[in-house]
Amino acid sequence: MKVFKKVLALALATVMSAAILTGCGQDSDSRTIIRIGHNQSTNHPTHIALVAFEEWIESKLGDKYDVEVFPSELLGSQNEMVQLTQTGAINFCVASNSLLETFSTNYTLFNLPYLFASAEAYHASMDDEAITGPIFESTKDAGFEAVTWLDAGTRNFYTVSTPIETPADLKGLKIRVQQSPTNVQMMSLLGGSATPMGFGDVYTALQSKIIDGAENNELALTDNGHGDVCKYYSYDMHQMIPDILIGNIVFLDGLSEEERAIFEEGFQLVNKVQREEWTDAVAAAKDRAANEQGVQFLYPDTKPFQEACAPMHEDMLEQYPNLAPIYDAIQVHNEQYPSAES
Ligand code: GCU
């Protein structure tokens, strides 16, 4: 399946590069094709939201645009899709905020462990344009712009056979993390051994025992089958990392004012539908993981995890002082929506 996907991705990338070179991103009735890639299954809230976007754009501008949504890494890994979006080989893709920090260090902020005091503070911060605006625009020079954010819940550790109750339990374990410097630093502060790799490679790595565990929201257990192998999921709540819908800057700047307004409404729709679907999707995943996959959910004291990661906040502010006002603005939402434990 993986080899098939890679061959398909390569074939698609070749066809798309050829299309770009010959200037023909058009379908048979000469509508412009808009390609959107993501790495989730077709059941996932993100896919459902992008299909709503497809329907919206085609209902308003269907004589001109044909929107095509490619799920399940069909266009490549997230890293590859970001690069395809940069060059304009595809128009949009969904990328985890984690990966974007390698394109603009401003994104580092949302990757900090325990940045948000609660899910409410996270949502309020991400809905606050004074917070997201400067960050979302900071990759324009790199060829893309963030057009909206998507919920990706809370990231927690899960392992094949070691219940994680305290950071000490992570010692000696190889844990898959997303490919970003912040995630590697977090893992080393927590005492585990960080193994960065793309999302699509995690299942096989777990199954073949190359890694002992990973960290993600609950949907990874069911949608991606990780709960077939990992039997302990531990709510240490280390990160709330948003997914970001990014668009090629040349494509976005080439839209007329009227078109851009319709696309903006579409981006808001993606955000709305995805978040409406999210809560139920997490509840269903938890139920299925517990009852069909035999996953045990653990609720450790999060304080020791939080304390181990605390130096990262100061480090980041020292390294990127331009992010301090945005960090402070997040604290206002944290005060308004404190953690249930405080
Ligand atoms: C979540 C997130 C994805 C990301 C994945 C990962 O599923 O929504 O965007 O790719 O985690 O851990 O890589």
Side-chain angles (χ1 to χ4, degrees), residues 215-230:
E215 47 79 56
N216 214 320
N217 61 60
E218 299 85 339
L219 268 59
L221 298 173
T222 51
D223 253 33
N224 307 92
H226 299 179
D228 293 342
V229 191
C230 293

Side-chain angles (χ1 to χ4, degrees), residues 133-155:
I135 295 175
F136 281 7
E137 286 173 16
S138 66
T139 39
K140 276 188 173 172
D141 288 346
F144 63 88
E145 185 185 344
V147 292
T148 192
W149 68 279
L150 307 171
D151 206 346
T154 307
R155 297 184 78 93

Side-chain angles (χ1 to χ4, degrees), residues 38-40 44 46 73 78 94-99 150-153 155 158 176-179 183 197-200 202 214-217 219-220 224 226 241-244 274 278:
H38 68 87
N39 68 355
Q40 308 290 359
H44 193 281
T46 293
E73 293 195 6
Q78 264 187 2
V94 176
S96 171
N97 186 83
S98 276
L99 296 190
L150 307 171
D151 206 346
R155 297 184 78 93
Y158 51 93
R176 178 267 172 171
V177 294
Q178 291 177 288
Q179 297 129 305
N183 289 323
M197 66 176 74
F199 194 37
V202 180
E215 47 79 56
N216 214 320
N217 61 60
L219 268 59
N224 307 92
H226 299 179
I241 299 188
D243 278 341
I244 312 285
Q274 202 266 357
W278 185 260

Side-chain angles (χ1 to χ4, degrees), residues 157 167-168 170-171 185-192 238 304-305 308-309:
F157 291 111
L170 287 162
K171 202 167 164 41
Q185 192 192 356
M186 174 188 77
M187 230 21 263
S188 98
L189 285 172
L190 286 169
H238 56 264
F305 294 89
C309 298

Side-chain angles (χ1 to χ4, degrees), residues 112 185 309-321 327:
L112 278 184
Q185 192 192 356
C309 298
M312 291 180 74
H313 288 221
E314 241 171 72
D315 280 4
M316 188 216 62
L317 292 171
E318 234 169 69
Q319 209 180 341
Y320 308 115
Y327 180 87

Side-chain angles (χ1 to χ4, degrees), residues 164-165 233-236 286 297-302:
I164 305 298
E165 302 276 10
Y233 186 96
S234 187
Y235 279 104
D236 67 289
K286 229 178 139 175
F297 288 92
L298 309 166
Y299 298 86
D301 179 5
T302 60

